[in-house]
Amino acid sequence: MNFFDSFFDSFIVISSIAVLNIIVFVIFKKYLYGKENAGMKFLTINIAKDLLWIVISLLIIEKNKANFLLIIVCFIVASVTIYTPIIKHINKS
C-alpha cells in the first residue's frame, strides 16, 4: 500500500467520524434537546454511531499498529468534540 492509498484511507476515516458527529449533533439539537431523557437518548444514538463507525473504519483501513492508533486517536478526539457541547446544552436546560 503506497502513501496516497494510506492517506486516502485515513482521510475517509477522519471525515466519516466528523460527518457522523455532525449528524448526531443535529439530531440532538432538532429532536432531543429539551425533551425528557435527552441525555440518555443521545448516548444511545452516539454509541450506535460509534459502533457503526468502528466497523466501517476497520473494513476500510489496513490492519496495522499505526492505523489502529489512528482509530483510537480519532475516537477520543471525536468523543471530546461531541460530548463537550452536548453536556453544555444539557446543563443549560
Side-chain angles (χ1 to χ4, degrees), residues 5 13 23-24 26 31 33 37 39-40 45 64 66 73 88 91:
D5 289 337
V13 168
I23 291 169
V24 169
V26 169
Y31 300 107
Y33 182 63
N37 293 326
M40 293 304 290
I45 292 170
N64 59 36
V73 169
K88 286 181 183 178
N91 284 339

Side-chain angles (χ1 to χ4, degrees), residues 25-39:
F25 185 77
V26 169
I27 289 171
F28 173 79
K29 287 285 288 185
K30 227 175 191 185
Y31 300 107
L32 301 176
Y33 182 63
K35 305 262 170 60
E36 187 176 331
N37 293 326

